[in-house]
Amino acid sequence: MSDITIIGTGNMARGLASRAVAAGKSVQLLAHEDKAKAESIASELGGTFTTGVVGDPIDGSIVIPAIYFDASKTIATQYGDSLAGKVYVDITNPVDFSTFDGLAVPAGTSAAEELQKVTPAKVVKAFNTTFGGTLVSGAVSGQQLDVLIAGDDETAVKAVSDFASAASLNPVEVGPLRRAQQLEQTGFLNILLSANEALPAYQWNSALKFLPAV
């Protein structure tokens, strides 16, 4: 059994796997089809890994699909009742790529809330305001990354918060799962900044930081 299952082999999967290794967690890394991609990341990062492809049984008690919203929804449906009791971390920002001018979920809901409708797992929103490249190091300009976390199940939220802390990140619990609506809008704003060539300082290497008063 693994501590964490990460699904995907892109930048966010690599970043999250890097943090898991830093936290001393065992990782199951599932590629969509090409297991060699998962094996390559595992070999590069070291740590304790098992690899496979989507469709293999999920080992981790925390499941993090590092994929787009529609694909994450498909994964949740595909694994069905086998996800019961697991923590399902939604990292997505459901951008409407046809316009790149908003989110592709109806007003008054979020990707995380929509996922909770189709899975018996305990959905927690987290990591959607962090970029894959910044997760590799866990910091930007010497500042520890904030991980904004929303969820309805206290035990699930604590599990994600504990993982973030162990990975040398700063967990910030922002409230119930419905707060994912605000987190996804915030994540979208961060994407817009980084995709704007007129703002060269924010090219996928920046981070949001909440500084408490001293």
Side-chain angles (χ1 to χ4, degrees):
M1 298 294 289
S2 303
D3 296 315
I4 296 173
T5 295
I6 298 172
I7 298 173
T9 54
N11 289 337
M12 282 298 293
R14 183 184 301 274
L16 288 162
S18 297
R19 288 300 92 209
V21 170
K25 304 295 185 182
S26 58
V27 180
Q28 179 191 34
L29 185 61
L30 300 181
H32 284 292
E33 295 178 347
D34 188 352
K35 184 179 178 181
K37 292 182 178 179
E39 292 173 341
S40 177
I41 292 174
S43 177
E44 175 189 337
L45 297 181
T48 304
F49 277 87
T50 58
T51 59
V53 295
V54 171
D56 292 348
I58 287 178
D59 287 344
S61 58
I62 296 177
V63 182
I64 312 179
I67 51 184
Y68 290 116
F69 168 56
D70 286 344
S72 183
K73 194 172 182 179
T74 297
I75 292 292
T77 302
Q78 177 179 345
Y79 278 96
D81 289 343
S82 68
L83 293 173
K86 296 185 182 294
V87 179
Y88 196 87
V89 183
D90 174 38
I91 73 167
T92 67
N93 292 301
V95 177
D96 184 346
F97 290 107
S98 67
T99 64
F100 210 70
D101 195 39
L103 301 182
V105 291
T109 189
S110 65
E113 290 169 285
E114 293 303 301
L115 284 167
Q116 188 63 88
K117 294 177 182 178
V118 300
T119 178
K122 302 167 185 177
V123 176
V124 174
K125 190 78 184 186
F127 297 103
N128 76 296
T129 58
T130 57
F131 292 134
T134 64
L135 280 168
V136 171
S137 65
V140 171
S141 298
Q143 293 283 341
Q144 188 180 41
L145 289 185
D146 285 347
V147 179
L148 309 182
I149 304 169
D152 290 336
D153 186 281
E154 292 182 6
T155 302
V157 168
K158 185 177 187 303
V160 177
S161 182
D162 287 349
F163 165 49
S165 292
S168 299
L169 306 174
N170 180 46
V172 182
E173 298 176 14
V174 303
L177 194 62
R178 65 178 181 274
R179 291 283 82 82
Q181 297 172 36
Q182 287 75 48
L183 293 187
E184 290 171 13
Q185 291 288 354
T186 301
F188 179 48
L189 176 61
N190 205 16
I191 290 170
L192 290 176
L193 289 173
S194 290
N196 188 342
E197 294 181 357
L199 298 171
Y202 299 97
Q203 297 300 296
W204 311 104
N205 59 0
S206 59
L208 297 168
K209 185 67 181 176
F210 289 84
L211 295 175
V214 178

